[in-house]
Amino acid sequence: MRTQHRPSPAPARPNPWQWLRYAFGGRLPRGLSAWVLADTTRPGWARRHLARSVVQLTPLVVACMFVPVGAAYRLTAALGGLLVGLMYSLALMVETTEHRVAKAGYPAGTAARLREERAERARTARVEQRHPYRVDGAGSFD
């Protein structure tokens, strides 16, 4: 018998102030731990990570705009700071999300394991869609 993966109901979401604190690396209340795990493992987790990074870099970009030099220098500094910050954010994305999950009370490696399980389910679904005669692994590719 084949079991279907049913998504769990959406966990409670943080309010805007809690999310802003979370975006800057703060810990959320224990009641929002399920949301943290969902935020770091659902499809689009990398996009959400980059959005948090942009929020973190916003004060730097704004500060660059008030340095008393020419506009071209200010724009170059702001854009350069943003790009370098996003590069580091991308380079450390997996570690950062694992740290967020650990702060929420989950064992280290939980987010990566859940993302890998989701990717494996997606790969299996693609194979089954391409080869519909295969039911529960029965059949042959020959």
Side-chain angles (χ1 to χ4, degrees), residues 2 121-136 141:
R2 185 173 179 197
R121 284 192 305 271
R123 282 191 291 272
T124 302
R126 282 193 306 271
V127 168
E128 289 177 358
Q129 185 179 15
R130 270 189 252 133
H131 306 285
Y133 67 93
R134 295 191 57 163
V135 178
D136 292 330
F141 284 113

Side-chain angles (χ1 to χ4, degrees), residues 36-116:
V36 173
L37 187 62
D39 182 56
T40 57
T41 58
R42 284 190 334 247
W45 70 276
R47 181 179 24 95
R48 287 188 299 279
H49 172 79
L50 288 176
R52 284 190 300 272
S53 298
V54 168
V55 168
Q56 290 175 352
L57 292 167
T58 298
L60 172 72
V61 171
V62 170
C64 286
M65 300 313 288
F66 290 104
V67 175
V69 294
Y73 291 113
R74 289 189 306 237
L75 289 173
T76 302
L79 183 61
L82 182 64
L83 291 177
V84 169
L86 289 175
M87 276 186 354
Y88 274 100
S89 178
L90 281 171
L92 299 171
M93 181 166 47
V94 172
E95 292 83 358
T96 303
T97 55
E98 285 299 333
H99 183 68
R100 287 181 187 278
V101 169
K103 282 194 322 188
Y106 293 95
T110 301
R113 181 180 51 80
L114 290 175
R115 285 191 301 266
E116 180 55 37

